[in-house]
Amino acid sequence: MTLTDSPSSRARTTYGAVLGSPHVARLLGGTLVGRLPNGMAPVAIVLLVTTDGGTLAFGGLLSALYGLASALSQPVKGRLMDRHGQTRVSGPAAILNSAALLALPATGTTSSPAVAVMIVVLGGLAAPPLEAGLRALWPSVLPDPVRRNTALALDTGTQGLLYITGPLLVAALTTAHSPALALAATAALGLAGTALVLTASPSRTWQPASTAESRAPGRLFGTGLIMLFVALVGVGVAIGGMNVWAVGMAERHDTDLLAGVLPAAFSTGSFLGGLLYGHRTWPGTPTRQLLTGAAGFLLGWLPLLTVPTPAPATAAAFVPGAFLTLIVARAFTITDTLTPPARTTEAYAWLILSIGVGQAAGAALAGRLADHPHTLAALPAGGAALALAVLLLARPGRSPARPGRHRHHQ
C-alpha cells in the first residue's frame, strides 16, 4: 500500500516568515504552554505522594495512571472535536483537568488513596487535546505547504522542551515551596495556554466537517494508516526503553544525574533536529523522507549496543533524537493524506496514542530487562528496527494511492 506519493516542494522559507504569519506564534506558544502539564504533572504527582509520606511505588502508579488516561482518551476527544469544534471540547476539558490537579493535594494521597486514584484518572481523561487540535489548524492558518511544513517541524521539534522545562520547573517550585504549589502552577499554565489557543481567531472560528460528511465520515483505518500507526508504536518503544535504560545507566555508574541527562540529550537532539529540518524543504516524497528518518533513527541507537560509558552514551542519545522530528512531522503529513476529511483530528489523536502506547510498552519491557544491561541497551534499537521494517512493508507501489490533499477548515 502507498502511504503517500506527493513530492515535496524545493522552495525555502524562514522561521521568521513562519512565526510572523498571522496567529502562528500565538497558536504555537499557547499550545506549548498549555501542554506543559504533560511534562509537569507526572513529576509533581510523584513528589506530592512521597512528600505526604507515601511510597514511590504508589506515586509512580498515580503518575502512570495520569499519563495512561490522557493517552487513551485522545481519540475520543479528537472525534468529539471533529464533531463539535475545538472550543466546546478543549475549554471544558482544560477546566476539569486543572480542577483535578488543584484538588489532588487537598484529598491527601496517603489518607485517601482511592480518591486520589479517581482524581488522577479524571485529570488525565480531561487533559485537553491541544496537540491534535493545533495540527488540525495548520492547513487553514498556513495555506502555503512550504510554510506549513516548516511550522509542523517547529511544532514537533519544540515538544522536547516540554520534557526538559516541565520537570525542572516542578523541581524548582517544590524545592522553594511544596509539590502542591507545583501542581497549582501546572493547573494555571494548562488553563492559560488553552485559553490563549481557544481565543485565537483560527481556533474560535474553526468548524468541524459538514453535517453531511459527519453523517458519513468514511473509513478511518485503512491498511496504510494502520501500518503507519504500528510503525509509530515501534518509535514509542524505543523512547520508552531509552528512559529506563537511562535509569539503569545512572544506577550502574552511581550517577543519579544521568537519569535526567540522557533523556535531556535525546530531547535536545529532537529540538535541534527539528530546527534543521524545518529550516528548508528537503527533496523527496513525504514517504521517502519518513523512511530516511526511520533509518537514521535506527542507526542512531546502534552505538548503545556497546553499552558505552556516560559521555559517549550522552552523545549517542542525541543522534536518534535528531531524527525524531522528521519521523513525527512526516507521519502527521501522511496521516492527513490518508484520513477522511470528517475525522482529521481523531486520526491525529490516534497517531499521538500510538507513540504513547509504544512508550508504555517499551518502559514496561525495559523494566523486565533491567538486570540484563546488554539486552536493555538493545531495546531502543529493537523498537526502531520494528518501525523501519513496518514502513518498508508499507512503501509506495504496493497498491494504488489515494490522492493527496490538504484541507482547509473555514
Side-chain angles (χ1 to χ4, degrees):
M1 75 295 303
T2 303
L3 295 179
T4 182
D5 52 3
S6 57
S8 298
S9 167
R10 294 179 181 268
R12 296 178 180 233
T13 189
T14 65
Y15 287 117
V18 171
L19 292 173
S21 299
H23 310 296
V24 170
R26 177 175 179 171
L27 290 172
L28 182 59
T31 299
L32 288 173
V33 172
R35 293 181 60 228
L36 267 174
N38 293 354
M40 295 176 67
V43 179
I45 289 170
V46 173
L47 292 175
L48 178 68
V49 171
T50 54
T51 301
D52 285 347
T55 65
L56 182 60
F58 183 59
L61 173 64
L62 290 184
S63 178
L65 286 174
Y66 180 89
L68 188 62
S70 176
L72 292 178
S73 62
Q74 284 285 337
V76 175
K77 291 178 286 194
R79 184 69 179 271
L80 289 172
M81 192 178 290
D82 278 331
R83 291 186 172 186
H84 304 293
Q86 298 199 353
T87 303
R88 294 172 65 184
V89 176
S90 288
I95 294 171
L96 189 57
N97 173 262
S98 295
L101 294 175
L102 290 172
L104 186 60
T107 63
T109 56
T110 54
S111 59
S112 305
V115 175
V117 167
M118 288 189 291
I119 290 175
V120 163
V121 170
L122 178 62
L125 290 174
L130 294 176
E131 183 179 2
L134 179 63
R135 305 290 162 73
L137 291 176
W138 284 139
S140 59
V141 174
L142 293 168
D144 173 41
V146 177
R147 290 193 175 188
R148 183 166 57 244
N149 183 60
T150 299
L152 184 58
L154 186 62
D155 166 14
T156 304
T158 52
Q159 289 186 45
L161 298 177
L162 300 175
Y163 301 98
I164 299 174
T165 305
L168 289 176
L169 184 56
V170 168
L173 291 172
T174 300
T175 301
H177 194 273
S178 67
L181 178 62
L183 279 169
T186 302
L189 288 168
L191 272 177
T194 302
L196 194 61
V197 171
L198 296 184
T199 55
S201 176
S203 177
R204 195 174 64 251
T205 60
W206 185 87
Q207 296 294 324
S210 68
T211 303
E213 288 177 319
S214 297
R215 286 178 183 154
R219 179 187 178 196
L220 176 60
F221 290 109
T223 305
L225 203 60
I226 290 173
M227 295 192 75
L228 175 62
F229 290 167
V230 170
L232 293 175
V233 169
V235 172
V237 167
I239 298 171
M242 179 269 300
N243 289 329
V244 178
W245 163 75
V247 175
M249 285 285 292
E251 291 179 349
R252 276 198 306 278
H253 295 277
D254 195 25
T255 307
D256 292 342
L257 191 61
L258 279 176
V261 168
L262 293 170
F266 177 82
S267 297
T268 302
S270 177
F271 174 61
L272 295 179
L275 291 180
L276 177 62
Y277 172 63
H279 182 65
R280 53 164 291 184
T281 300
W282 301 86
T285 65
T287 298
R288 181 165 298 183
Q289 291 184 15
L290 180 63
L291 287 169
T292 300
F297 191 65
L298 171 58
L299 292 174
W301 292 118
L302 295 183
L304 269 60
L305 300 178
T306 64
V307 190
T309 54
T314 302
F318 178 92
V319 177
F323 287 95
L324 180 64
T325 295
L326 172 57
I327 294 173
V328 176
R330 275 321 186 190
F332 273 104
T333 301
I334 292 168
T335 297
D336 180 73
T337 301
L338 298 179
T339 303
R343 303 181 71 174
T344 305
T345 313
E346 181 188 358
Y348 293 159
W350 277 106
L351 189 159
I352 296 165
L353 174 60
S354 299
I355 298 175
V357 167
Q359 285 184 257
L365 183 57
R368 300 293 298 271
L369 299 173
D371 295 331
H372 307 279
H374 285 84
T375 308
L376 176 60
L379 181 59
L386 170 64
L388 180 59
V390 172
L391 290 174
L392 287 172
L393 288 175
R395 66 191 176 198
R398 299 301 177 92
S399 70
R402 293 179 50 185
R405 76 271 189 269
H406 288 287
R407 294 179 298 276
H408 296 258
H409 297 279
Q410 302 298 333

